[in-house]
């Protein structure tokens, strides 16, 4: 008992130190296993706020990149639809040329021509009514509304004039936020003049008066002019869509670059230095073993040892 009383204070301090070392060893072993400094923010100390801010910024950046990617997909679908429109307009040019070169239009030829043009008008309309992920892409802000309704579109004849009675959407151009400071507008609406001219040209040819035996110069000139202007306009819009797509790709690349940099910075605050952890763990393990050995030595003497 005398020996225990005399060594109580020293023994208590050594045990307390050993327990602290043991707790630190447990932390180091967890860091070594997980590769992280701490499994929660509490273990990061003063860096916890910076890590939380960094994670929030990364999450927001991913949302911006995803929104830009979705908009890019819509542009691809619109571009593809307009390629189909270009093909239809090219067919219209060829059909007019063929009908002209063929000479007189008998009833059968006229019926075939007007029927074909009516079908092409329907197909052109279908392209303008393209849907993607439940959205009508050419309706402006009214994405739930079919943009082109031919029931509201009167049959066209020569001389014709521009009419947009077919359009059911609005004038809003789609846009997407790609960063806190930047919004990118993209796309086109179905009331674009190039589309109106195309619809008018198809409608004129689909509604040639009964008994027409040839394409008079007025009809020929007007339809060919409308078709060529429509082709030029569609090409211009496609170029704009390409530029919009490039802007979105640039925005995505910028956000991905930020995410890489932010993730790297976050890692410096949260990832454990495995080599340093292993070295400290070995040192503290040696200290712990020495501490337990010393405690055992202090606590081992008995009264009999002092009476010898």
């Amino acid at each position: 008992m005398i020996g225990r009383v005399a060594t109580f204070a020293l023994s208590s301090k050594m045990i307390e130190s050993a327990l602290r070392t043991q707790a630190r060893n447990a932390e180091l072993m967890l860091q070594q296993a997980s590769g992280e400094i701490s499994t929660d923010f509490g273990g990061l100390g003063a860096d916890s706020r910076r890590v939380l801010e960094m994670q929030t910024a990364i999450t927001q950046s991913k949302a911006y990149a995803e929104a830009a990617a979705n908009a890019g997909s819509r542009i691809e679908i619109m571009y593809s639809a307009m390629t189909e429109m270009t093909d239809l307009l090219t067919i219209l040019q060829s059909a007019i040329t063929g009908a002209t070169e063929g000479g007189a239009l008998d009833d059968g030829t006229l019926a075939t021509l007007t029927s074909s043009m009516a079908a092409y008008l329907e197909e052109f309309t279908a392209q303008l009514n393209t849907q993607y992920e439940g959205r009508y892409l050419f309706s402006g802000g009214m994405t739930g509304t079919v943009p082109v309704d031919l029931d509201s579109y009167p049959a066209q004849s020569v001389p014709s004039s521009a009419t947009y009675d077919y359009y059911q959407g609005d004038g809003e151009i789609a846009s997407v936020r790609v960063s806190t400071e930047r919004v990118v507008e993209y796309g086109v609406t179905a009331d674009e003049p190039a589309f109106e001219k195309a619809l008018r040209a198809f409608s004129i040819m689909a509604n040639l008066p009964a008994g027409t035996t040839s394409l008079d110069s007025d009809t020929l000139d007007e339809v060919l002019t409308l078709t060529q202007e429509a082709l030029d306009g569609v090409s211009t819009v496609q170029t704009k869509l390409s530029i919009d797509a490039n802007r979105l790709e640039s925005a995505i690349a910028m956000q991905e670059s930020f995410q890489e940099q932010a993730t790297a910075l976050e890692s410096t605050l949260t990832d454990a230095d495995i080599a340093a952890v292993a070295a400290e763990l070995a040192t503290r393990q040696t200290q712990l073993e020495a501490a337990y050995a010393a405690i055992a030595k202090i606590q081992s003497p008995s009264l009999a040892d002092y009476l010898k």
Side-chain angles (χ1 to χ4, degrees):
M1 185 66 180
I2 296 175
R4 291 180 181 177
V5 171
T7 60
F8 178 76
L10 178 59
S11 178
S12 295
K13 287 183 178 180
M14 295 190 70
I15 291 174
E16 183 180 347
S17 177
L19 290 174
R20 286 198 301 269
T21 301
Q22 189 171 6
R24 178 57 180 164
N25 278 8
E27 290 180 11
L28 292 171
M29 291 175 68
L30 184 59
Q31 289 180 8
Q32 193 175 48
S34 67
E36 298 178 346
I37 294 174
S38 175
T39 57
D40 55 42
F41 287 110
L44 297 176
D47 289 332
S48 60
R49 180 177 177 180
R50 292 181 63 195
V51 171
L52 182 58
E53 290 175 346
M54 200 64 62
Q55 290 181 349
T56 300
I58 291 172
T59 299
Q60 183 64 72
S61 176
K62 289 181 178 179
Y64 286 139
E66 182 178 1
N70 289 338
S73 296
R74 295 181 199 120
I75 287 177
E76 288 183 12
I77 300 299
M78 295 177 83
Y79 193 97
S80 177
M82 293 178 69
T83 298
E84 294 294 329
M85 296 179 203
T86 298
D87 292 342
L88 290 169
L89 287 167
T90 301
I91 291 173
L92 174 57
Q93 274 188 327
S94 299
I96 296 172
T97 302
T100 302
E101 292 175 350
L105 298 174
D106 57 31
D107 290 343
T109 304
L110 176 64
T112 300
L113 179 62
T114 56
S115 176
S116 297
M117 291 302 109
Y120 294 145
L121 175 61
E122 292 284 350
E123 178 58 27
F124 197 93
T125 299
Q127 295 302 325
L128 288 173
N129 288 338
T130 295
Q131 268 187 302
Y132 179 68
E133 295 180 336
R135 301 165 58 105
Y136 288 102
L137 301 183
F138 294 92
S139 286
M142 299 173 64
T143 57
T145 300
V146 178
V148 178
D149 180 8
L150 291 182
D151 291 338
S152 303
Y153 188 58
Q156 299 297 300
S157 60
V158 177
S160 67
S161 59
T163 176
Y164 296 89
D165 294 341
Y166 64 86
Y167 186 56
Q168 308 299 307
D170 60 22
E172 181 180 340
I173 298 298
S175 64
V176 58
R177 181 169 293 278
V178 296
S179 72
T180 54
E181 306 87 9
R182 187 181 176 201
V183 174
V184 174
E185 290 188 342
Y186 67 94
V188 63
T189 54
D191 61 347
E192 165 69 30
F195 303 148
E196 187 280 326
K197 290 175 181 178
L199 292 174
R200 194 161 18 129
F202 280 117
S203 181
I204 290 171
M205 294 300 296
N207 292 283
L208 291 173
T212 299
T213 57
S214 64
L215 295 179
D216 61 79
S217 60
D218 289 340
T219 299
L220 182 64
D221 290 344
E222 183 162 339
V223 173
L224 284 177
T225 297
L226 288 172
T227 303
Q228 187 57 57
E229 289 179 352
L231 279 167
D232 293 342
V234 169
S235 177
T236 298
V237 174
Q238 280 189 305
T239 299
K240 180 184 177 300
L241 289 178
S242 296
I243 293 173
D244 292 341
N246 289 336
R247 292 169 66 197
L248 291 174
E249 289 176 3
S250 175
I252 293 171
M254 184 172 63
Q255 291 297 346
E256 290 177 343
S257 176
F258 169 78
Q259 291 164 31
E260 291 178 3
Q261 295 173 10
T263 300
L265 179 56
E266 181 191 357
S267 295
T268 64
L269 300 174
T270 60
D271 291 356
D273 185 337
I274 301 302
V277 168
E280 183 181 352
L281 184 60
T283 300
R284 288 184 175 274
Q285 187 65 34
T286 301
Q287 292 174 349
L288 186 61
E289 292 173 358
Y292 280 133
I295 292 170
K297 189 171 184 179
I298 291 172
Q299 293 180 341
S300 63
S302 63
L303 180 60
D305 294 325
Y306 286 98
L307 295 177
K308 287 181 181 180

